[in-house]
């Protein structure tokens, strides 16, 4: 959601009432049963876009951990769930908040990276589904980035945490989807993250976005306030799933990128990411 905040505190992304109204229109058009969002500062911010009578909000557990969030604006992951859909809300994947040692004195730096938000849909039922919503470390988009860089070292540690979480699902024979902002181009021949995961898992994670076309026209706003439009031809938002999930989508579902119209990008402060839409039929 690109620094979505109703307070607009300490952020270079500011939004007018019209911006919020247009974002709300886009979400109303999509009308998702489940919305997995990233870069939202508060429950109030996401509630400004969704009718509270229709959705229940689950914001990252990091919200309640003072030492792992910033004093000003924060980027939280979370879910908005349509009322009536049975949901269990287990603890989030805190292990994605990596703490690296500094090179100079080997001291630990306090981690303030995003947790993986975790929910279970229809727990205990035949078509139970485990969802993990992530926003991984930026700056290591492919093997072209320097492996020894801080961003790449952090992302590798986050990949290890994801491997552990997915393997737990496999051990329990549970279907899953890991989705969100990977900050890594999984569809590129230069990716390493998915390869690393599947080398360590007992069963492979399937790239649900492997054949998803990317053509996201978005407004890119720099920290100095300057703005320009960009057309993003490579996905960094992805979804990985179990074999049953992948087969269900292949047979009866779909995955696509919802793309903004040019006039929307010109006239409104939306996001620098276009929504990824997954239509998942029953797993039964």
């Amino acid at each position: 959601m690109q620094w979505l905040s109703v307070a607009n505190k300490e952020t270079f992304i500011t939004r007018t009432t019209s911006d919020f109204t247009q974002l709300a229109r886009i979400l109303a058009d999509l009308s998702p049963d489940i919305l997995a969002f990233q870069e939202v500062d508060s429950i109030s911010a996401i509630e400004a876009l969704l009718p509270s009578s229709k959705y229940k909000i689950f914001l990252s557990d990091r919200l309640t951990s003072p030492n792992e969030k910033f004093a000003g604006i924060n980027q939280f992951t979370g879910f908005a769930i349509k009322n009536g859909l049975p949901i269990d809300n287990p603890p989030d994947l805190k292990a994605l908040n990596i703490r690296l040692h500094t090179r100079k004195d080997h001291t630990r730096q306090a981690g303030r990276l995003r947790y993986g938000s975790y929910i279970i849909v229809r727990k205990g039922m035949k078509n139970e589904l485990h969802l993990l919503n992530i926003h991984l470390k930026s700056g290591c988009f492919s093997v072209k980035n320097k492996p020894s860089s801080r961003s790449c070292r952090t992302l590798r540690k986050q990949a290890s945490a994801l491997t552990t979480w997915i393997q737990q699902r496999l051990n329990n024979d549970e279907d899953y989807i890991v989705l969100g902002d990977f900050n890594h181009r999984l569809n590129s021949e230069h990716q390493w993250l998915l390869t690393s995961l599947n080398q360590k898992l007992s069963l492979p994670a399937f790239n649900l976005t492997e054949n998803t076309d990317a053509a996201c026209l978005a407004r890119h706003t720099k920290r100095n306030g300057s703005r320009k439009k960009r057309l993003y031809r490579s996905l960094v938002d992805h979804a990985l799933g179990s074999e049953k999930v992948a087969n269900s989508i292949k047979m009866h579902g779909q995955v696509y990128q919802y793309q903004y119209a040019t006039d929307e990008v010109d006239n409104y402060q939306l996001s620098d990411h276009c929504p990824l839409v997954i239509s998942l039929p029953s797993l039964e």
Side-chain angles (χ1 to χ4, degrees), residues 94-105:
K94 297 182 179 181
L96 293 179
N97 184 13
I98 303 298
R99 296 169 174 80
L100 288 181
H101 289 88
T102 61
R103 288 186 172 183
K104 289 184 178 181
D105 55 10

Side-chain angles (χ1 to χ4, degrees), residues 217-219 229 259-268 270:
L217 181 66
R219 181 192 295 181
K229 288 186 292 186
Q259 293 160 0
Y260 305 132
T262 302
D263 63 325
E264 287 182 308
V265 179
D266 287 337
N267 297 322
Y268 302 102
L270 301 175

Side-chain angles (χ1 to χ4, degrees), residues 34 91 154 161 202 250 270 281:
I34 299 174
T154 300
S202 59
K250 184 178 180 179
L270 301 175

Side-chain angles (χ1 to χ4, degrees), residues 110-124:
R112 292 190 177 93
L113 297 179
R114 280 87 44 165
Y115 290 5
S117 292
Y118 180 20
I119 61 169
I120 304 172
V121 186
R122 300 187 182 95
K123 184 177 181 180

Side-chain angles (χ1 to χ4, degrees), residues 63-268:
L63 176 68
T64 60
S65 181
N67 293 331
E68 295 182 304
K69 65 179 183 178
F70 295 97
I73 192 171
N74 283 272
Q75 294 182 346
F76 294 119
T77 56
F79 290 97
I81 312 293
K82 268 190 178 176
N83 292 333
L85 191 61
I87 294 292
D88 189 62
N89 184 29
D92 287 349
L93 183 59
K94 297 182 179 181
L96 293 179
N97 184 13
I98 303 298
R99 296 169 174 80
L100 288 181
H101 289 88
T102 61
R103 288 186 172 183
K104 289 184 178 181
D105 55 10
H106 301 288
T107 58
R108 272 201 183 290
Q109 293 187 340
R112 292 190 177 93
L113 297 179
R114 280 87 44 165
Y115 290 5
S117 292
Y118 180 20
I119 61 169
I120 304 172
V121 186
R122 300 187 182 95
K123 184 177 181 180
M125 301 183 188
K126 185 177 180 181
N127 55 358
E128 174 179 301
L129 180 65
H130 295 247
L131 295 179
L132 187 70
N133 174 16
I134 64 174
H135 184 178
L136 300 183
K137 177 65 176 174
S138 182
C140 191
F141 299 102
S142 74
V143 293
K144 293 182 178 181
N145 297 105
K146 190 175 181 181
S148 61
S149 70
R150 183 178 180 84
S151 293
C152 287
R153 289 186 293 130
T154 300
L155 189 60
R156 288 188 184 280
K157 288 180 179 293
Q158 289 181 318
S160 179
L162 285 180
T163 301
T164 300
W165 187 90
I166 294 173
Q167 188 60 53
Q168 288 173 342
R169 308 285 73 75
L170 295 174
N171 292 345
N172 296 335
D173 195 25
E174 296 165 342
D175 288 301
Y176 67 88
I177 299 178
V178 178
L179 74 170
D181 184 355
F182 281 71
N183 270 313
H184 196 77
R185 301 185 183 100
L186 296 184
N187 295 346
S188 167
E189 62 179 357
H190 302 293
Q191 69 83 24
W192 56 261
L193 197 154
L194 182 57
T195 301
S196 176
L197 287 177
N198 285 338
Q199 286 175 342
K200 299 171 185 176
L201 293 171
S202 59
L203 292 172
F206 289 80
N207 183 358
L208 307 179
T209 47
E210 183 176 12
N211 299 312
T212 303
D213 293 329
C216 179
L217 181 66
R219 181 192 295 181
H220 178 72
T221 304
K222 295 184 178 180
R223 290 187 178 272
N224 63 8
S226 63
R227 300 174 176 179
K228 66 178 180 178
K229 288 186 292 186
R230 283 187 178 178
L231 181 63
Y232 294 96
R233 290 282 187 184
S234 298
L235 287 179
V236 293
D237 300 303
H238 292 282
L240 305 178
S242 59
E243 184 175 13
K244 187 187 290 187
V245 168
N247 289 338
S248 183
I249 290 176
K250 184 178 180 179
M251 294 295 293
H252 305 291
Q254 64 176 149
V255 182
Y256 66 93
Q257 184 186 68
Y258 177 100
Q259 293 160 0
Y260 305 132
T262 302
D263 63 325
E264 287 182 308
V265 179
D266 287 337
N267 297 322
Y268 302 102

